[in-house]
Amino acid sequence: MRDKHPTEFKKMVERGDIKGTSKRKEAKSVYRKTIPVARRVLGEGHRLTLKMRWQYAMALYKDDGATLDDLREAVTTLEDTVRLPRRPFGSAHP
């Protein structure tokens, strides 16, 4: 996948927003492809990268057919996503 402009990532985040169960499988696939590119282009702590990771974890967690490995990946992703913004601001930051 070629590197994309931040507005393209914003569109991907909006498209990948998982409100209904029918879109979860598609959302997981989109996030698996785009999150590594977003990390490289926007950076690990960019708000769009963090939002994509959060939504990916939610897609894993809310999938009715989620395996134990999917749930573990969701928890790990959420823990990492919460931890990242605290690095520059410190542990006292909400």
Side-chain angles (χ1 to χ4, degrees):
M1 177 176 283
R2 65 178 176 80
D3 292 349
K4 298 193 177 291
H5 190 272
T7 56
E8 289 297 313
F9 284 110
K10 185 176 181 192
K11 289 177 188 174
M12 287 179 181
V13 168
E14 290 166 357
R15 277 196 312 261
D17 195 10
I18 52 159
K19 300 296 182 200
T21 57
S22 62
K23 294 186 178 184
R24 286 194 190 118
K25 192 170 195 169
E26 181 184 345
K28 289 189 291 187
S29 174
V30 169
Y31 289 135
R32 283 187 185 115
K33 293 175 187 174
T34 57
I35 288 172
V37 178
R39 290 164 105 172
R40 186 175 63 249
V41 173
L42 302 174
E44 190 77 32
H46 192 279
R47 69 177 182 81
L48 289 176
T49 305
L50 295 171
K51 186 173 181 178
M52 290 171 78
R53 292 183 67 180
W54 184 273
Q55 289 178 342
Y56 173 64
M58 296 282 61
L60 289 170
Y61 169 73
K62 291 184 176 184
D63 185 357
D64 292 335
T67 65
L68 187 55
D69 286 339
D70 289 338
L71 297 176
R72 285 183 180 132
E73 183 178 358
V75 169
T76 301
T77 301
L78 288 173
E79 288 174 345
D80 291 345
T81 302
V82 170
R83 194 174 300 128
L84 284 168
R86 290 192 178 167
R87 277 190 213 156
F89 298 110
S91 61
H93 186 65

